[in-house]
């Protein structure tokens, strides 16, 4: 895993943050930012696999509507296999989810006018009352590639032949001996990018001083982590192999952190010393110890929308998250805990939640990431409705976020998701264009 | 009732449906479609009578707000007579419905500033605290023509002298010996045109396989009806007399229908034979019998927004529906059952619901049209928000719908309802234009 | 208090109301109206003090979000003092209200990334985990001037050095011996201007015939008041001193009012005599007496959005209201009753509600202004969504409202509130402009 970060790249990015600008920075660059693609990706990045539902929530015969990247998709399990199809008949747009009918092994039939589609490619297999229709054999609805693994159902949203799923999840996720337990999916009311950035964000840890997991374990949470800009090229590891997952990792031990500080007073107001709640009563020596503690936790972001914190929250255990775009203002929040297992019994104990959940609270939604969700929703309005992407006033700690935005913009596999994709395969057309489509098909 | 349908007309329309296009069709027509008016009629067609409330729901002294074609109208019954007036004082726009005051026999008074309007023509009769105002005698609010008959309250929405109501309801509806029982009005969340088309739609019957009426009566519902395009000129009856209702009728007996079919398999998947639930266990001979059954039911659409199915659901009984525009995304669904009666006692038994409802489930909302409503709401999003009118992919069975759209566009009495009508008689004006209006009045 | 109203001014205004236009009025003026500013002030008038919360509802340590003129403000009481700050961290827009942290006496800290602001001027005092940030000392969030007096918390919304609060409340409001009791604040769903106009409106009293206060006290409410246009220059008192409150007062005794009237019949309909409910059974003589009764009540409107009715509803007592813009379609309705008091005991009895509320129903929300609120909400749609400001058809009684609009437009201290102010201090900017802001700061 080579590290293409250079001092030059860091300096270039610094110019966008006056807070950490070198004295000789000169004029700040004008015009489009090097992370423009990230700014444009309101509805997500196309040509990736996205997790959309839990295996345990889609039993045989069940169905469910999800909208990853805003596309309305019907999930159905038939004969054990999960199918993901456009939830809209091509004929007159009836929502198939209202009454999902599979009248033969490899088809789905619209409950209104009997258009019957192949579950393999979405083409029109027959129309029950008009089997001689010339439409038979023509393209009908979109069918999405599906992979089901580690308790999750992934669909591929894009326009290319799907690469292997292994390229779109953190390294090792699919390993045979990696046991995964997934929490129930939450809908969080912020844009998905706020989720990605918030979880990686080195400066956000202050919020966890109110997390029950931290309180119960008397685990002092810092005022925020502070990167050493001079060492950043060593600290951040970019991974961008041709045929593997692309990600961005920082080790916590390379980051300074503090648990107490002084708030200066003004005029007659005295200075105030502030210590985070869980560190109160500790000696200064012990505080310093905590600060210098060799905190060997890797915090990583992986394209298109995943994080992995490893190990966390206990030795040998990793926590992962996916922030799957749902619409412009919300995302699916998928959280899982995983660990290496040595036997089938151990795997089952982990995958069923029997092992990790009671002991280590993995995944730790209620005890820890609840505060992250609260923070995402508390900054959502600024970014969604108040031009936040243009108006944010970034500080030094945010440099890593800008470098992630740049990394993601440069390495994103496909284009950003646009409204026209959500509306469907056809653009709004002149009269009779629907007919033309058929002819061209 | 002459039939102006010609082979040429049918061929012309076919060109818009590649599914049934003749081999020598040549280039499909570009530009505006011959049914453009229908496509533009989001809020309905003006210059027609529309049913808006049931007689039995508007007792003496009662009042109610309805919005046919998006116009906000206050209905009030005073001294037995129903008045329909603009629910908005011309002075400062107060909603009269908040406290409908009739202080004299033929006036209504605004409860805020005492503007008092004639219930005959809406002119300002007086202002209680300023009887000398120069506004007295000027036009004030809009008053809508009202007809109350057969248990329904009709209002006329338009700009012309209202033609007789008999022109805007199916033939025979007003006949002395026609007894009508009307179901409670439902608000259905689709555009009104989806209602009209859905009820006539020859291909939609598959949905009724799940209707309790069909199940309880072991009445096999087909996979859909299939018109014989070569015989269409005989099968469809246009009626467009100068001074009568204008409609479009098809007799079910002229339409093929099927109850079973084969879904082809692909690759290793075998073909699947499918029979509608209620026809299962019947011999092939019996199925063929059902298919060829002389099903003497007329299915008709009448301008502006009504259907009549006759006889249905039992001999001697007809079912009718009105799909009255309410706003761009919803309509009032009015359903009634009617039959000829021979005595006053019989009439009362029918009109009270005592006769038809328990025996023949007429009208049959819960048992049958519930599925129609479900289908309308399931395709609404496509037409309302996803450019469905441009993107639908029609099949052969839809030819009749295109011919109805064309018929309706050609024969609609008035213009389509536009937002400016809903906003009121006055367009948005330059300052002082309100004053100018008064001068011109 | 001089009276700048002239016959010329009245005549000019009359030209906008054909109802009262003099015979020789000539052509009505075209183009922009002299009260255009009032028409543009959808979100209110800037550079004024506005009441936003009651003292008794914001105890020590409490906080609350309000949106006067659409600006999202966090109120917090710390060490007895109320602070009003922008509810949005300048860093990444987190809503401070989610967890308002005051870690030192004169600062507030963002709970997400520890940006810590001075409560005096909103500048960045420190960032807890990055005290060496170059952002320290820069402008951060907006801090609003606050005054707390007479049981109300006022904030100043604007861009100038705030004038004394005394200029923005009715004369005498702040007097030492004026005791004030404030009712709970209501959110009323109409634009704030509808509130101001509705309360002053000489023609609106008819609605109070249904007020329980009027019914319980057998207090006949008129059909509306009618100004004598020839005497208007004497009746209306403009006050627009350089350094004092600017207002507009009319004395009820100078206004004719009536309690009965005749509604003319037409055709066979006879004339109808109508008397307001509470005046029924009274002799004609008594009615005339009521009409001519010397009703010494001053009704006043004061910039930016207040009324005062004095005395009302009992001798020695005044009632006041503020209609504070909240968003385009709603306002905060603040109502209070006040009177001169001679001792501390009397003051306490009044301010606690012990005195005025049970005896005189002051303030009289449930018993009287409930009908006003109803009327505001009943005309809101016309002005908000149906171009009411351009389409209203005014009568003679409305002349005073036009003169108020003109007065307010001419004397408003600052500009109208626009959406850009609500969005924040920064306009939407080109990339990196946020950084530029910091440099210029």
């Amino acid at each position: 895993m080579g590290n293409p970060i250079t001092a030059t790249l860091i300096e270039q990015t610094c110019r966008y943050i006056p807070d950490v600008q070198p004295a000789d920075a000169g004029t700040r660059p004008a015009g489009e930012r090097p992370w423009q693609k990230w700014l444009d990706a309101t509805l997500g990045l196309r040509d990736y696999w996205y997790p959309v539902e839990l295996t345990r929530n889609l039993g045989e015969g069940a169905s469910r509507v999800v909208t990853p990247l805003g596309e309305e998709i019907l999930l159905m399990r038939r004969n054990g296999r999960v199918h993901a199809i456009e939830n809209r008949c091509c004929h007159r747009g009836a929502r198939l989810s209202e009454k999902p009918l599979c009248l033969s092994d490899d088809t789905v039939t619209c409950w209104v006018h009997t258009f019957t589609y192949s579950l393999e490619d979405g083409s029109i297999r027959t129309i029950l009352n008009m089997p001689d229709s010339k439409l038979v054999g023509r393209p009908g609805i979109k069918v999405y590639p599906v992979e089901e693994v580690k308790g999750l159902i992934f669909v591929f949203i894009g326009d290319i032949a799907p690469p292997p799923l292994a390229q779109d999840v953190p390294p090792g996720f699919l390993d045979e001996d990696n046991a995964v337990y997934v929490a129930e999916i939450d809908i969080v009311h912020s844009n998905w990018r706020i989720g990605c950035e918030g979880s990686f964000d080195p400066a956000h840890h202050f919020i966890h001083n109110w997390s029950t997991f931290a309180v119960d374990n008397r685990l002092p949470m810092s005022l925020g982590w502070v990167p050493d800009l001079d060492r950043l090229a060593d600290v951040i590891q970019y991974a961008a192999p041709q045929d593997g997952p692309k990600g961005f990792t920082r080790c916590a031990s390379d980051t300074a952190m503090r648990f107490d500080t002084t708030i200066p007073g003004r005029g007659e107001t005295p200075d105030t010393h502030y210590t985070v709640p869980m560190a109160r009563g500790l000696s200064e020596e012990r505080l310093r110890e905590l600060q210098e503690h060799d905190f060997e936790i890797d915090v990583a972001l992986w394209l298109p929308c995943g994080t992995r914190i490893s190990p966390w929250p206990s030795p040998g255990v990793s926590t992962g998250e996916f922030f799957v775009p749902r619409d412009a203002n919300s995302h699916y929040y998928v959280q899982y805990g995983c660990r290496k297992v040595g036997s089938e019994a151990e795997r089952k104990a982990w995958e069923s939640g029997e092992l990790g959940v009671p002991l280590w609270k993995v995944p730790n939604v209620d005890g820890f990431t609840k505060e992250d969700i609260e923070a995402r929703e508390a900054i959502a309005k600024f970014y969604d409705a108040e031009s936040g992407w243009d108006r944010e006033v970034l500080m030094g700690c945010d440099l890593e976020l800008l470098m992630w935005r740049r990394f993601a913009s440069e390495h994103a596999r496909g284009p950003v998701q646009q409204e026209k994709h959500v509306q469907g395969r056809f653009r709004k057309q002149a009269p009779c264009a629907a007919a033309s489509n058929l002819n061209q098909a």
Side-chain angles (χ1 to χ4, degrees), chain A:
Chain A
M1 215 189 262
N3 192 9
I5 286 201
T6 62
T8 309
L9 186 68
I10 293 172
E11 252 179 56
Q12 280 175 0
T13 309
C14 278
R15 295 189 183 186
Y16 290 89
I17 308 186
D19 189 21
V20 294
Q21 226 174 110
D24 61 345
T27 321
R28 260 181 316 287
E32 195 163 276
R33 283 160 287 187
W35 48 85
Q36 192 60 42
K37 194 173 196 173
W38 185 256
L39 301 185
D40 294 340
T42 308
L43 287 167
L45 298 165
R46 285 180 74 74
D47 296 344
Y48 279 103
W49 290 97
Y50 288 95
V52 293
E53 186 48 284
L54 310 193
T55 289
R56 66 175 182 262
N57 287 343
L58 195 78
E60 179 60 28
S63 62
R64 178 146 189 170
V65 176
V66 289
T67 61
L69 282 69
E71 300 200 15
E72 191 178 323
I73 295 175
L74 173 61
L75 300 176
M76 303 186 299
R77 190 186 298 276
R78 293 293 182 272
N79 301 318
R81 188 173 155 199
V82 177
H83 301 278
I85 60 174
E86 186 180 358
N87 185 30
R88 178 176 59 187
C89 182
C90 77
H91 175 220
R92 303 196 69 191
R95 263 43 193 175
L96 303 175
S97 54
E98 193 75 20
K99 202 188 295 276
L101 289 177
C102 292
L103 304 180
S104 73
D105 274 357
D106 63 343
T107 63
V108 61
T109 294
C110 177
W111 59 286
V112 184
H113 300 105
T114 75
F115 274 54
T116 299
Y117 302 101
S118 160
L119 284 172
E120 291 307 314
D121 62 11
S123 65
I124 301 172
R125 180 72 61 82
T126 188
I127 301 173
L128 300 192
N129 73 323
M130 250 195 113
D132 301 330
S133 168
K134 294 179 188 166
L135 296 176
V136 171
R138 303 281 182 114
I141 57 173
K142 182 155 187 172
V143 168
Y144 295 81
V146 173
E147 292 266 11
E148 185 171 22
V149 64
K150 303 290 180 192
L152 278 168
I153 297 164
F154 290 82
V155 297
F156 184 79
I157 310 281
D159 314 295
I160 61 171
L165 172 59
Q167 296 190 14
D168 297 355
V169 290
F173 179 79
L174 299 178
D175 285 357
E176 191 74 15
D177 62 350
N178 184 42
V180 177
Y181 178 77
V182 192
E184 289 301 313
I185 295 177
D186 272 327
I187 291 171
V188 174
H189 294 277
S190 84
N191 188 270
W192 69 283
R193 292 165 297 176
I194 301 303
C196 292
E197 294 188 355
S199 188
F200 184 87
D201 182 0
H204 85 287
H205 299 87
F206 185 57
I207 64 173
H208 291 300
N209 282 285
W210 290 269
S211 293
T212 55
F213 182 81
V215 172
D216 292 350
N217 291 280
R218 293 207 55 80
L219 184 68
M221 299 301 297
S222 79
L223 295 165
W225 300 355
V226 188
D228 179 345
L229 298 186
D230 294 333
R231 293 189 52 235
L232 213 57
D234 302 321
V235 169
I236 301 287
Q237 298 291 327
Y238 279 15
Q242 183 73 23
D243 295 324
K246 295 181 173 51
F248 186 100
T249 304
R250 177 227 305 134
C251 183
S253 64
D254 290 309
T255 300
M257 62 192 83
R258 44 197 317 159
F259 297 90
D260 67 339
T261 190
T262 294
I263 303 170
R266 284 290 182 279
E268 293 176 11
T269 313
D271 288 356
T272 299
H273 191 79
Y274 178 72
T275 307
V276 299
M278 224 48 57
R280 284 175 202 167
L282 302 182
S283 65
E284 282 198 30
E285 195 183 4
R286 174 68 184 128
L287 270 181
R288 225 176 348 262
E289 228 175 73
L290 274 170
Q291 266 162 244
E292 285 156 18
H293 180 64
D294 202 6
F295 211 54
E296 289 294 354
I297 298 178
D298 281 335
V299 180
L301 265 169
W302 294 94
L303 281 171
C305 65
T307 61
R308 193 176 55 180
I309 302 98
S310 177
W312 177 261
S314 29
V317 173
S318 297
T319 293
E321 295 161 308
F322 295 101
F323 303 92
V324 181
R326 181 173 172 264
D327 60 26
N329 307 122
S330 69
H331 64 271
Y332 297 105
Y333 177 50
V334 184
Q335 191 188 358
Y336 61 91
C338 56
R339 63 169 300 198
K340 298 280 171 201
V341 288
S343 69
E344 268 312 291
E346 211 184 330
R347 173 197 306 282
K348 277 187 182 149
W350 186 266
E351 289 179 351
S352 67
E354 192 193 320
L355 203 56
V357 177
L359 285 183
W360 297 304
K361 313 286 182 197
V362 177
N364 205 326
V365 181
D366 289 342
F368 200 75
T369 51
K370 187 167 156 292
E371 273 71 30
D372 290 302
I373 292 173
E374 197 176 51
R376 275 153 215 160
E377 297 192 340
I379 73 172
K381 189 181 175 192
F382 180 64
Y383 285 94
D384 288 351
E386 297 170 345
S387 311
W389 296 104
D390 291 335
R391 289 172 53 195
E392 54 186 8
V393 176
L394 301 181
M395 62 165 164
C397 298
D398 297 317
L399 180 61
E400 291 177 52
L401 294 183
L402 292 194
M403 294 181 77
W404 160 257
R405 290 179 190 174
R406 185 168 190 161
F407 175 83
S409 295
E410 282 168 5
H411 292 287
R413 183 182 292 140
V416 301
Q417 175 83 337
Q418 292 180 328
E419 190 58 29
K420 68 173 178 182
H421 289 118
V422 175
Q423 286 285 322
R425 290 176 307 150
F426 310 123
R427 282 161 304 167
K428 192 174 180 336
Q429 293 161 326
C432 292
S436 312
N437 266 314
L438 288 166
N439 275 11
Q440 287 153 12

